[in-house]
Amino acid sequence: MSNARNLASLLGTSTTVPSAKVASYNTPIAYARNNGDQSLSATTWTNVNLGTEVLDTQNNFASSAFTVPTTGKYFIHGEVRCECNSPMDFSSMYVMITDDGTRIDGTEVDWVETHNDENKTVFSLDTTCVTTLTANHVIRLQVWANWGAGTLTV
C-alpha cells in the first residue's frame, strides 16, 4: 500500500486507490468563533474577536486573524451576531472581510432598520467570498453597528 491511499474509512470497505489518482491539496483550514461578549463602539469598524480556535490545520490563525500562507484562491466565510439590550434602538449593522485592512470587494453586507413595527434586539449577518489572496496578508472579520440606547455586543 505504499502507493495507495486506503479509503476504507470513507467507503466502509477496504477499497484502495493509487496515490497518483488522488488529488493532493495543501489547503489550510481555519475555524474560530467568539469566546464571549465583545462590546462595540457605535459607528466604528471593529475587528471581531475570534478567541476560540476550533480548527487550524496549518497554524495560520492567531489573534483573531488568518495569515495567508501562500498566494492563491481562498474560500472565506464570516458571520456576526449582534445583540442590543434596548428594544427598538438597534438600527443598523454591517459586516465585511478585510485583507490587510482593506475591504475585500463584495464582502460588505448590511442591515438597516426603520423601526416600523419592529422590535429587533438581535441580528446576524454573514458574508462569503472566493478570492485570490497574497502570501503573508492578514485576513480579518469586521463589524460596524449603530444603536440609539443600551449596549450592543457581538
Side-chain angles (χ1 to χ4, degrees):
M1 293 225 324
S2 61
N3 285 331
R5 293 192 181 173
N6 189 340
L7 299 178
S9 63
L10 178 65
L11 301 175
T13 69
S14 60
T15 304
T16 59
V17 176
S19 293
K21 304 285 185 189
V22 178
S24 178
Y25 295 98
N26 185 19
T27 305
I29 300 170
Y31 172 67
R33 60 181 170 77
N34 189 310
N35 61 345
D37 288 347
Q38 174 185 353
S39 295
L40 298 178
S41 296
T43 67
T44 302
W45 281 105
T46 304
N47 292 329
V48 177
N49 291 335
L50 301 169
T52 300
E53 190 175 301
V54 178
L55 177 66
D56 187 5
T57 61
Q58 295 182 6
N59 298 316
N60 301 111
F61 191 87
S63 302
S64 298
F66 176 78
T67 301
V68 179
T70 57
T71 298
K73 293 263 187 216
Y74 288 82
F75 170 86
I76 309 167
H77 176 81
E79 182 175 352
V80 179
R81 177 185 180 270
C82 286
E83 182 172 353
C84 183
N85 65 0
S86 179
M88 298 294 291
D89 283 313
F90 191 5
S91 59
S92 56
M93 175 180 165
Y94 298 78
V95 297
M96 72 175 167
I97 300 167
T98 62
D99 177 353
D100 271 358
T102 301
R103 177 183 46 86
I104 296 174
D105 287 340
T107 66
E108 187 175 315
V109 179
D110 62 63
W111 164 78
V112 178
E113 173 60 55
T114 61
H115 299 298
N116 292 332
D117 300 320
E118 293 290 330
N119 195 17
K120 298 256 192 263
T121 57
V122 177
F123 205 80
S124 295
L125 288 175
D126 65 289
T127 183
T128 303
C129 70
V130 175
T131 189
T132 300
L133 298 175
T134 304
N136 300 314
H137 280 209
V138 177
I139 308 305
R140 294 184 185 278
L141 180 62
Q142 291 191 340
V143 62
W144 181 103
N146 194 20
W147 62 99
T151 302
L152 190 74
T153 55
V154 172

